[in-house]
Amino acid sequence: MTVQDSSVLATLPVLGETALQTYPTATLYVVATPIGNVTDITLRSLHVLTLVDAIACEDTRNTAHLLQRFGIHKPLVAAHMHNEREAAEVLVRRLQAGERIALVSDAGTPGVSDPGAKIVDAVIAAGLRVVPLPGASAAITALSASGLVNDQFHFVGFLPAKGKQRETVLNGLRGVTATLVFYEAPHRIVDCAQALATAFEPTRQVVFARELTKLFEEIHRCPLADAAAWLQADAHREKGEYVVLLEGAPAAADAGDAEAERILNILLAECSVKQAASLAAQITGRKKNALYERALALKGD
């Protein structure tokens, strides 16, 4: 953008509309903040941050730095995962006294794999108003650039760090037809890719979105079978926060097929493939041979 372009934008009448809107007191404002690029914050969010009496935040140091970039100076209240309940009580009392409070996390939308949900719950329970200000979200940003054609997504967030717990969660997601959305830390990204490859079909498409909106942003899509190798091909790929998107399971032909597969899975835990197929055929009325083939595939997976 040139200096001339910038000056034209600064004079647009729409920029003054933020000050003409209504901002009620005794209200919690849930404000999304940038996930990387500081200029992704909205005009309305900036106005609210200048208007509120205090800002509840995940890390006061990070929020103070963000506010300084925009010349904003407000009292900060620590509200992180270790004190969220206690912070909620303090904030509710302040809201009841008629204050406006903003709630932010370190990056993105509060309450989405970040602190904030307990505070919002407490404010609602107290009969007070909550106003959300939309903005950056790593999950939505990654989905928009993934090219995965699906009108549904299933947000999982961070998987358990322990292998057995992670395996249990992933196995429970095998039949989900929506695009699966995970968050992952850089030091666990290879383990995550390997766990996905073990739990799901190798032909499923996976998207790795790293360092979104930042200088070294990288978005890569490949078959799940190639995922771990791609990550390990460059040491830099084990740095930066990740959003991982996994193509959903093929939709079942009908509800009957989905129910038959559910029954097969239950029976396979206790019976041989042949017995499971036979019992499933008796229960569902489906063809035994087709169920036998499906049972073999499930057992092989």
Side-chain angles (χ1 to χ4, degrees), residues 9-288:
L9 288 175
T11 61
L12 290 176
V14 70
L15 297 182
E17 290 189 15
T18 55
L20 300 177
Q21 297 174 15
T22 301
Y23 302 94
T25 58
T27 298
L28 179 73
Y29 294 87
V30 183
V31 181
T33 55
I35 58 176
N37 191 317
V38 71
T39 61
D40 284 340
I41 197 164
T42 69
L43 298 174
R44 184 169 168 232
S45 294
L46 286 174
H47 182 71
V48 165
L49 292 175
T50 64
L51 188 69
V52 295
D53 297 287
I55 300 171
C57 53
E58 185 177 0
D59 188 316
T60 56
R61 294 165 299 180
N62 290 339
T63 299
H65 178 69
L66 175 67
L67 296 176
Q68 287 169 6
R69 301 286 299 274
F70 295 102
I72 299 173
H73 304 281
K74 290 289 176 178
L76 302 179
V77 179
H80 46 74
M81 64 180 293
H82 302 295
N83 78 336
E84 197 170 351
R85 288 293 185 194
E86 296 82 357
E89 295 176 6
V90 173
L91 296 174
V92 165
R93 287 196 296 269
R94 295 186 65 165
L95 291 169
Q96 288 170 333
E99 293 189 9
R100 298 183 183 96
I101 304 288
L103 172 66
V104 303
S105 60
D106 284 348
T109 303
V112 182
S113 283
D114 270 333
K118 293 177 183 177
I119 290 172
V120 172
D121 179 54
V123 171
I124 292 171
L128 296 161
R129 186 170 180 178
V130 176
V131 173
L133 276 67
S137 166
I140 301 302
T141 302
L143 280 164
S144 70
S146 70
L148 295 176
V149 182
N150 195 332
D151 59 0
Q152 296 181 332
F153 68 90
H154 181 101
F155 181 75
V156 181
F158 287 97
L159 288 166
K162 294 184 178 179
K164 193 63 179 177
Q165 294 174 346
R166 183 171 55 207
E167 179 184 345
T168 299
V169 170
L170 292 177
N171 284 338
L173 297 169
R174 287 165 58 94
V176 175
T177 56
T179 298
L180 299 175
V181 183
F182 306 94
Y183 286 167
E184 193 53 272
H187 65 279
R188 288 202 301 263
I189 189 61
V190 173
D191 287 344
C192 173
Q194 291 170 340
L196 292 175
T198 299
F200 299 94
E201 301 88 342
T203 54
R204 287 206 201 189
Q205 292 290 302
V206 63
V207 176
F208 294 100
R210 183 176 73 90
E211 293 287 83
L212 287 171
T213 79
K214 300 177 184 177
L215 181 61
F216 298 107
E217 175 182 273
E218 187 172 21
I219 301 173
H220 178 74
R221 176 172 154 179
C222 65
L224 187 52
D226 300 336
W230 178 79
L231 288 167
Q232 293 170 319
D234 186 341
H236 289 96
R237 290 174 185 154
E238 294 185 49
K239 298 177 182 179
E241 299 298 323
Y242 271 90
V243 180
V244 181
L245 309 177
L246 183 66
E247 183 181 14
D254 56 39
D257 285 349
E259 178 63 8
E261 182 152 331
R262 187 186 72 83
I263 292 169
L264 264 181
N265 272 307
I266 294 171
L267 293 171
L268 284 170
E270 303 293 337
C271 308
S272 68
V273 169
K274 185 177 181 179
Q275 289 173 317
S278 178
L279 289 171
Q282 294 176 49
I283 295 168
T284 65
R286 301 268 162 167
K287 292 183 178 179
K288 180 179 175 181

